[in-house]
Amino acid sequence: MTDDTTPRAGPSTGPRAGERPRGPWDPDPNAPPAPKVTERRLGPLHIRVERGVRPATAPTPAQAPGGTGAAQGGVLDKGQSPAWALISTLLLGGFLWWMTGSLIIVACALFGLLVHEYGHVLAMNRVGMGPARIYIIPFLGGLAKGQRPPVSEWHGVLVSLAGPAFGLLAILPVVGVWQATGQEEWLIGAFFIGLINLVNMAPASPLDGSHALGPVLARVHPLLEKGALLVIGAAVVAWGFATGRWILAAFLCLSLFAQLRAGPMREGETQLSNGQAVASLGLYVLTLALCAGATVAALLPLADGSVAGAASAGLRVLGFDRLFGGAG
């Protein structure tokens, strides 16, 4: 039994019996479906990102990868306002001066932070996430934010490692100023630049290391990624509290709780292939080694060329002497 008002397959030249004519207010049956927009909250700052799933049509200039049009969702992020960027930089600089007591070290750290974030920006723009923006976060550091998430985990790995790798370049002019002036504070400033990039390589959310190493661990098993990042994140939080780095420890602790509550990681992104996973791991180890080597090398002139002495001085700055009783 069928109902005469039930639509049937096949061509139709007009309304069927019992069916009213289609008016101009009715949706066009030939129109493409409306995009489905899902919303994600990324990281402890809960950055809002909308991802639209649209029909397979030719991209418009606003949607083209790497273009300068509006981001998905129709809203272009114009970045941090100049006034708030200045205030945030002054607050961050004041906090660093309170910690170090040296304007030279503060200037070096801020310069290194900007170069680090600009490395992320260059990579984001290169893989189609741009135009990316830099935000300065008072008391904590910086953040590079794209207009859209990466389309693949491989792109995410490249973006994550671009910051620490590119950030090491900031050491070169600082060392040049030391050679010209002979002031040892410039070497300590170079050390802090290396330290910024080295700490970011820690695989603890929301640091760059977690975004670079996480997809590799997920390639083995998704639970391995979550478990490893939670254990390492908890250890980093404990280190922060034990060494008196309260603000950093509190920030990482909030991020750890956010990770516990988060759903699937990198939802919608193309997973790493086996070759990309191997390459990602190799790039992570190489970048980590470069950051550690540059950080220690900055202290070599202060340690009379002794690698062990420079490494020991760096560990003391990180507070490991207090953790293992080396201060006494």
Side-chain angles (χ1 to χ4, degrees):
M1 178 184 290
T2 61
D3 188 340
D4 290 338
T5 61
T6 303
R8 293 181 174 84
S12 176
T13 58
R16 289 178 288 274
E19 187 179 50
R20 65 172 177 81
R22 187 175 65 86
W25 54 83
D26 292 320
D28 185 357
N30 298 319
K36 298 180 180 179
V37 179
T38 58
E39 180 180 303
R40 296 178 65 196
R41 299 279 178 170
L42 304 181
L45 300 178
H46 294 286
I47 301 169
R48 182 173 179 267
V49 176
E50 289 184 348
R51 172 177 294 159
V53 181
R54 300 180 182 273
T57 57
T60 64
Q63 297 169 328
T68 57
Q72 291 181 354
V75 179
L76 180 65
D77 179 13
K78 297 182 179 180
Q80 198 171 25
S81 69
W84 181 239
L86 177 60
I87 293 172
S88 300
T89 303
L90 291 174
L91 289 173
L92 179 58
F95 178 67
L96 292 172
W97 181 82
W98 176 72
M99 290 180 60
T100 64
S102 169
L103 291 178
I104 290 178
I105 296 176
V106 170
C108 292
L110 292 177
F111 174 63
L113 176 67
L114 290 176
V115 176
H116 173 102
E117 298 302 338
Y118 192 65
H120 290 309
V121 167
L122 290 175
M124 286 179 178
N125 292 341
R126 183 69 178 85
V127 301
M129 297 171 61
R133 312 293 187 188
I134 294 177
Y135 289 79
I136 302 299
I137 306 173
F139 311 112
L140 289 172
L143 169 73
K145 181 183 176 185
Q147 301 292 340
R148 53 190 65 80
V151 297
S152 67
E153 291 182 346
W154 173 242
H155 284 174
V157 170
L158 295 179
V159 168
S160 299
L161 294 178
F166 191 79
L168 293 178
L169 296 177
I171 294 178
L172 299 179
V174 174
V175 172
V177 175
W178 164 72
Q179 288 180 331
T181 63
Q183 290 182 273
E184 293 182 347
E185 280 181 288
W186 291 101
L187 284 177
I188 300 175
F191 165 75
F192 269 89
I193 293 175
L195 195 62
I196 289 171
N197 296 285
L198 179 60
V199 169
N200 265 282
M201 289 300 296
S205 180
L207 302 177
D208 296 328
S210 66
H211 302 296
L213 193 59
V216 179
L217 299 177
R219 194 71 179 82
V220 180
H221 196 282
L223 290 181
L224 176 62
E225 176 189 12
K226 278 228 167 187
L229 295 186
L230 287 175
V231 170
I232 297 172
V236 173
V237 170
W239 162 80
F241 282 120
T243 57
R245 292 163 173 83
W246 305 101
I247 295 179
L248 177 61
F251 174 70
L252 294 176
C253 188
L254 290 175
S255 177
L256 190 61
F257 279 116
Q259 187 176 349
L260 286 170
R261 297 176 55 189
M265 293 185 173
R266 300 175 300 278
E267 186 178 6
E269 297 177 16
T270 305
Q271 292 184 343
L272 294 176
S273 65
N274 289 333
Q276 289 172 342
V278 173
S280 298
L281 181 59
L283 288 173
Y284 175 82
V285 173
L286 176 61
T287 307
L288 178 63
L290 288 173
C291 291
T295 304
V296 172
L299 295 178
L300 283 177
L302 301 179
D304 297 326
S306 169
V307 175
S312 177
L315 291 175
R316 285 197 300 272
V317 172
L318 291 172
F320 284 101
D321 56 333
R322 280 176 276 178
L323 289 177
F324 300 105

